[in-house]
Each structure stands twice: as structure tokens, then as C-alpha cells.
Amino acid sequence: MTAVLFDMDGVLVNSEDYWVDFEREELFPATVPDEDVDLAETSGMNFREIYDYLEAEYGTALSREEFVRRFNEAADEIYTERVRALDGLHDLLAELDDRGVPTALVSSSPHDWIGMVLEEFDLEGSFDRVISADDIDAASKPAPDIFEHAADEIGVPADACVVVEDSANGIEAAARAGTVVIAYRIAAHGDIDRSPADEIVDSPAELRERVLALADPSNSIELSERE
């Protein structure tokens, strides 16, 4: 059996467009004012681990509490007022469900933020599992832990899972977990390293086509061709 694991930010919703602007223009200049940090260094990480990373690598001008407060305020606005869902998302999930393909939402975001997206876009009950990095006591992306955990939760071997990811750290994490990785190219991330991915897609239509092809049990040979 094949399962499909979807990242949330940048894949299910176009929130990365807004997170990148927020981090580049407001949060990082306040947190590490004397440093020019490449946002790709922290993309895909849990926001609390972003603070730990910035503190360890550069030193921070904001307290952890203030950093978290600003992130939470931004999340409330981004997820309830700004983002839109991936074109054709409901139809894609319905088709996977009709085929009996298990699905999971797998995100570094906390459950509160995930809940906003599920409610805002009428996605509650649309996934077999909803998994946050907060559910596991392990390293954040690019470590493979969250995808290994998701595969265990959904009951499908990691090498039979198709992961859709957009960030460099997320793509690397999914590849290190041994999954089949579809990299969804979005403008917000620019020219990041997508080489660990098995496939790269550039539009919702192409994403849908490749997910359905790889999740088709009759095409199991296609999954093994990469080995």
C-alpha cells in the first residue's frame, strides 16, 4: 500500500509566501539585527527550533518569549486572513480516499496553527492522520524523524510513502526518511537545493498528476525505479 504525506506550509496552503516576508522584513531583523541570515537555513523547522538555531549560530536580541509571541500573532493573521488553499486540494484528497490511499498532514507547525488551516478550508476529517512536530520528542527537519513517525502512525513503510514538500529542509528530511519525495517548487523559496527529491513539480496540476500516478497501486513499479 502507498500513502501520501503532505507538508502544510507552502504545499497545502501558500503560507510560505507570507512567512518569508514576515521573517525577512520583521522578525529576523529584530532577532538577529547584525546578521544577514539566509532564510533557507531555517525553512521547514519548527518555529521554536528556529529560535534555538538563531541563538546558537548568531546570538539573539529578542527573548524566546517575545520571539514566540510575534510568531503566534503572525500565524493568526496569516492562516485566517491571507492564505489560500492549493488549487484542487479537496478533489485530490477525495480521489485518494476513493482509491483507499491513506493520507497524512505532516507539519513542523504546532497543532493550533494546523487547526486554523483545517477549519478555515473545511479540511477537518480529510486526512487519516494529522501530525505536528510537537507530537514527537525529536529533531526538527532536516532530520527525518517526523516523516519516520508519520509512516509508523499511518502504518505504511517509509519507502512506500510519497511526501510532498516545498522547503530545502523538508525535502532533505523526507529523502533521509527513505520516502519518495515530490518537491513542489514555489517562488518564496527561490533557487534552493531540491536535488534530494525524486521529482520536482511546478504547479498544482502537475502536483496532482504526479501524486495520483505514484499513489496508484498498479504503478508500484514506478516507486521502485528510483532504487
Side-chain angles (χ1 to χ4, degrees), residues 159-175:
D159 61 3
C161 291
V162 176
V163 171
V164 185
E165 262 285 0
D166 63 296
S167 71
N169 284 332
I171 292 165
E172 181 181 346

Side-chain angles (χ1 to χ4, degrees), residues 49-101:
E49 291 200 3
I50 291 176
Y51 184 85
D52 295 339
Y53 176 86
L54 294 176
E55 172 65 22
E57 294 294 321
Y58 303 102
T60 53
L62 290 181
S63 68
R64 169 183 283 272
E65 291 73 21
E66 177 63 12
F67 185 86
V68 169
R69 185 190 68 78
R70 294 190 187 197
F71 246 117
N72 278 320
E73 283 187 357
D76 187 61
E77 179 181 350
I78 288 170
Y79 293 125
T80 63
E81 299 180 20
R82 297 193 181 188
V83 299
R84 66 178 186 276
L86 178 76
D87 289 345
L89 175 59
H90 287 88
D91 289 341
L92 173 57
L93 293 174
E95 187 155 357
L96 291 169
D97 185 57
D98 287 345
R99 295 184 182 187
V101 176

